[in-house]
Structures are given as C-alpha cells and as structure tokens.
Amino acid sequence: MKFNYSKHVPNTDNDATGAILAAAADPKVISLAGGLPAAELFPVEDFRASANRVFDEHGAQALQYGGAAGLPALREEIIRNFLKPRQVEGAVENIAVTTGSEQAIEQIAKMFINDGDTVLVEAPTYLCTVDAFKSFGAKIVTVAMDDDGMKMDALEEALKAHPEAKLIYTIPTFQNPTGRTMPVERREQFVKLADKYGVPVLEDDPYGAIRYSGKAVPPLKHFDKTGNVIYMSSFSKILAPGFRLGFVVADEGFIKTFTIMKQIADLHSDNFSQYLVADYLAHNDVDAHIAKISKLYQHRFELMQSLIESEFPAGVKHSNPEGGMFIWCQIPGDIDTQALFDACIKQGVAFVPGDPFYAGESESGTMRLNFSNVDDDTIREGMKRLGAAITKFLNK
Ligand SMILES: Cc1ncc(COP(=O)(O)O)c(C=O)c1O
C-alpha cells in the first residue's frame, strides 16, 4: 500500500544513517559507532529500592495519569540536583519534564518553525535535531566551529545575513559529535549576540554533567538575563536512557505554551519513571554516581586517545574532549569517508562517518568515535583494526 503522507515525512528511501547503523550492528563488527552510555553503571539496585518505596508510598497514584508539565517532586529534585549546582536560576514553573530531550527538540521545532524559516546550527551538529527542524520545513544555515565550539564571528555574520532566523541551536558542552566545549567568555558573547539580534537560543546539554578533566563551565542559560535561552537536559546519559526523561528550563510563559503543546503530543511523560527518578534523586547521591561514570569514561577516553597516537597514521587530528562520550577525528587529504567506512566494515570495525552531521557542506575525512560503551579489550582490538584499515585505505 502506498500512502499519501504529509510533507513532514522525510524521504525514507535515502536513509544513509540507518544503513551505517545496520552495518555497525553486525555481530562480527566492533562498533565504535554507537552513542550508548555504559549499561554496567546503570544503578539497577538503587532503582529496585526506589520502585519498592514508590509502590509503598504512592501505590496506584504512580500508575495514574499525571500533569503535562511533570511531577512536581521531580521538578524540585531537578532544581536541587542540576540547576543550583550549574548556577541556573529556575523555579518549578520554569521547568517542564519531557520524554527525553528528543521530544523537547521535536516539539520546539514544531513551536517555532514554519515552512522556509531559517534556523542556525553548528557545523557539524546532532543530526536528529537537523532532521526534526527539516521535517517542519526549516532552511538550515550552518555556523562554523573551531576547537572551542561555534565561532562568534561566524555567528554574527550568520545573524546579520539572517536576522529573521527563528532559533540558534547549540550543544556548547562536550558536543555531539565533536566533544568540543565552549569556554566561558565565548558563552557570554554568544548570549549577548543572540539578545542583540533577538534570536532565541536552544541550548542542548545532555552531556555537560559528565566531565572528567578541566574546569566546569556554566551553561549558556546561566548568562541569560532576558529569558532568550531555552535550556534542555536529560537523564539519559547520567541515569538511564530507558526512562525516556529529560527536561526543559525556560521562561514561565514559554513553559506554559510548551506544556499545552506537550499535552497534545503525549498528555505527559511516563509517570512511573518520573516517580522512580524523583525517589532515586531524593535517596541517593547522584553526584557520586556521575563521578563513577566520569571516571570510567575518562579511562576509556584516555585509552582510545593513546591508541589514536599509536595505531593511526601520522597526521590524523582529533578532538580532546574533557567530558562526554565522543572523539572527533579528521584524516588529512581528500577522503571519501563513505568508502573508508565500507573498507573498515570489511576489516570488522565501524565508526560514524562525519558527513551526516553536517547540514551543509561537510569537511573531508571526518569521523566520530564513541568510547562510552566499549570495554578495554574491545577498544584495543577495534582501534587496531581501524588503524590498519585507515593505513591501507590511504596507501591504496
Ligand atoms: C545532542 C543530543 N541531544 C539530544 C539527544 C537525545 O537524548 P534523549 O532523548 O535520550 O534525552 C541526544 C542523544 O544522544 C544527543 O546526543
């Protein structure tokens, strides 16, 4: 049956990313392509205790419908555990709980974008966001980055050329895919520039808590004095993605509208998950848990980084993330990364080619490597295979 879908449905005959992930899922292939957190650190026993307490203390209420903005107890815990330590101001009325930050991205796209509207994004950036923006007809304008994130001269140029832009989307901390982090001074500049041109900022921060070196930097939202920054974060990388819980922090008026739209989409996020996470946060030291995650990721990052030095051909550049889950590599020369990907699959190892992360023209020879969900032996073997495959490819 051939259905007549709306214009929001993308062309699914051309799912390059799906094809990459399918090739990487072959059990004979070591995948450094994924973006999954380390499941061995999911606090299963603590959640078992939370589940018992939730049933003892709340019974059927935890299985009932809930409010669209989210469980008030969870929103209080978000303030105590995440906003105050990150120097972000906000009351319960400034927070909406979402079904992962993915829902926030899609819904904000729906709220802001009409056909042909301009949105500014980093080059490269998280590709699902670009897909969400495009599904509402956005014209995507990319802004160049350097090792410190989005470049402010490039942003100002883009804002001058597109003062009508509806949003600026950014992942300023341990960015997906590059692992890059924007320093404090640039954050202040960013918020001022967005204010000057009156374009709202959508700040996506799922990785910011997972820092294993360097000094913490506050989110852009900390510098926001006008309510122009919409901040999003998620429990996916610090507790477990299966709960599908994230949150948005913004102006009270925005949260009211957002909540009405969310009600249309799904009435509310999973109520039982919200009770569980609220209970977990009230009874456990989440900072100690995040410190454990950061320690393991630091070890895996350092191992992968040392293997880039020893196994990859000379001249391969890579990012040096101080947190998060990804390293971004660039192989010098004019490289067809898709052909390189195919060659690596033949050697039994996968990465994500950089091209799909670029909404505009891509930079040659880029690739994303993930280290969060692979043990030491797998990293060693995977990087050996990858190094050999790249060397062979370059010497062809
Ligand atoms: C930058 C970024 N934003 C948002 C998401 C969505 O995460 P979730 O919906 O699990 O919160 C991801 C997932 O990997 C991501 O990398």
Side-chain angles (χ1 to χ4, degrees):
M1 182 65 196
K2 190 108 177 110
F3 291 111
N4 185 13
Y5 294 128
S6 79
K7 62 187 178 190
H8 303 298
V9 178
N11 175 6
T12 47
D13 298 338
N14 186 19
D15 181 13
T17 315
I20 289 163
L21 295 178
D26 179 337
K28 292 194 289 302
V29 170
I30 290 181
S31 177
L32 306 174
L36 306 186
E40 64 268 37
L41 294 186
F42 293 163
V44 175
E45 289 311 315
D46 293 334
F47 275 108
R48 194 195 303 278
S50 283
N52 284 333
R53 264 192 309 266
V54 166
F55 281 125
D56 288 345
E57 292 170 14
H58 303 283
Q61 193 57 35
L63 303 176
Q64 187 52 283
Y65 282 115
L71 190 69
L74 178 57
R75 289 186 282 157
E76 293 285 3
E77 290 295 344
I78 288 169
I79 295 169
R80 184 173 74 83
N81 289 285
F82 302 107
L83 301 197
K84 288 208 168 125
R86 292 178 201 177
Q87 304 174 61
V88 170
E89 276 180 33
V92 165
E93 297 72 32
N94 298 108
I95 302 171
V97 175
T98 58
T99 302
S101 35
E102 201 67 39
Q103 177 182 48
I105 292 167
E106 207 261 356
Q107 191 170 297
I108 290 167
K110 192 192 275 178
M111 288 168 72
F112 280 87
I113 300 166
N114 291 314
D115 261 342
D117 281 349
T118 300
V119 178
L120 308 184
V121 306
E122 284 148 0
T125 191
Y126 177 51
L127 56 102
C128 294
T129 300
V130 172
D131 288 344
F133 289 164
K134 279 186 180 164
S135 76
F136 292 99
K139 189 175 102 197
I140 312 283
V141 171
T142 58
V143 182
M145 299 177 88
D146 60 17
D147 290 344
D148 289 337
M150 200 187 267
K151 287 168 68 172
M152 289 304 103
D153 52 351
L155 176 61
E156 178 139 37
E157 220 174 278
L159 285 166
K160 269 190 194 145
H162 301 279
E164 78 292 354
K166 298 297 281 287
L167 280 174
I168 312 166
Y169 172 72
T170 182
I171 312 159
T173 314
F174 315 139
Q175 199 232 19
N176 181 5
T178 63
R180 292 167 182 156
T181 294
M182 185 179 283
V184 170
E185 309 74 56
R186 202 181 275 196
R187 289 175 188 240
E188 288 183 277
Q189 235 183 319
F190 191 141
V191 171
K192 278 191 192 137
L193 262 182
D195 268 346
K196 179 174 157 192
Y197 287 87
V199 180
V201 177
L202 180 54
E203 178 179 19
D204 191 3
D205 186 24
Y207 303 102
I210 305 173
R211 172 177 282 281
Y212 35 73
S213 64
K215 203 165 157 274
V217 275
L220 294 178
K221 184 70 185 154
H222 165 72
F223 302 99
D224 174 26
K225 304 287 173 251
T226 63
N228 197 36
V229 177
I230 301 165
Y231 177 80
M232 306 183 292
S233 191
S234 170
F235 292 107
S236 291
K237 307 303 191 296
I238 51 175
L239 290 180
F243 291 124
R244 305 306 305 123
L245 289 179
F247 55 92
V248 176
V249 182
D251 209 59
E252 194 177 333
F254 171 84
I255 293 293
K256 275 195 181 132
T257 312
F258 182 91
T259 304
I260 291 167
M261 295 294 289
K262 179 172 164 60
Q263 203 161 300
I264 297 168
D266 67 352
L267 297 183
H268 60 79
S269 295
D270 185 318
N271 209 23
F272 185 58
S273 292
Q274 293 190 64
Y275 271 96
L276 276 183
V277 172
D279 180 276
Y280 172 90
L281 293 171
H283 291 90
N284 294 276
D285 180 352
V286 73
D287 291 335
H289 175 64
I290 294 171
K292 252 195 253 172
I293 299 175
S294 304
K295 193 164 171 239
L296 179 68
Y297 289 6
Q298 175 169 29
H299 168 76
R300 289 180 175 173
F301 160 65
E302 286 174 354
L303 179 60
M304 189 173 266
Q305 187 192 32
S306 72
L307 289 160
I308 292 177
E309 311 294 343
S310 62
E311 302 290 336
F312 281 19
V316 175
K317 285 198 285 188
H318 65 87
S319 60
N320 284 303
E322 295 183 336
M325 307 191 342
F326 305 109
I327 305 183
W328 184 247
C329 294
Q330 187 160 18
I331 302 165
D334 186 14
I335 305 289
D336 177 349
T337 5
Q338 187 58 48
L340 175 63
F341 176 81
D342 295 340
C344 288
I345 288 290
K346 282 198 192 117
Q347 298 281 330
V349 64
F351 60 89
V352 186
D355 307 59
F357 296 104
Y358 290 88
E361 205 178 314
S362 58
E363 291 172 88
S364 164
T366 51
M367 59 202 269
R368 190 192 76 177
L369 299 178
N370 167 259
F371 51 81
S372 57
N373 194 34
V374 261
D375 64 23
D376 289 10
D377 287 346
T378 313
I379 293 178
R380 280 194 199 95
E381 180 58 26
M383 293 299 281
K384 213 165 99 185
R385 290 184 196 179
L386 200 50
I390 297 171
T391 307
K392 193 168 156 201
F393 187 84
L394 290 180
N395 291 337
K396 251 194 337 199

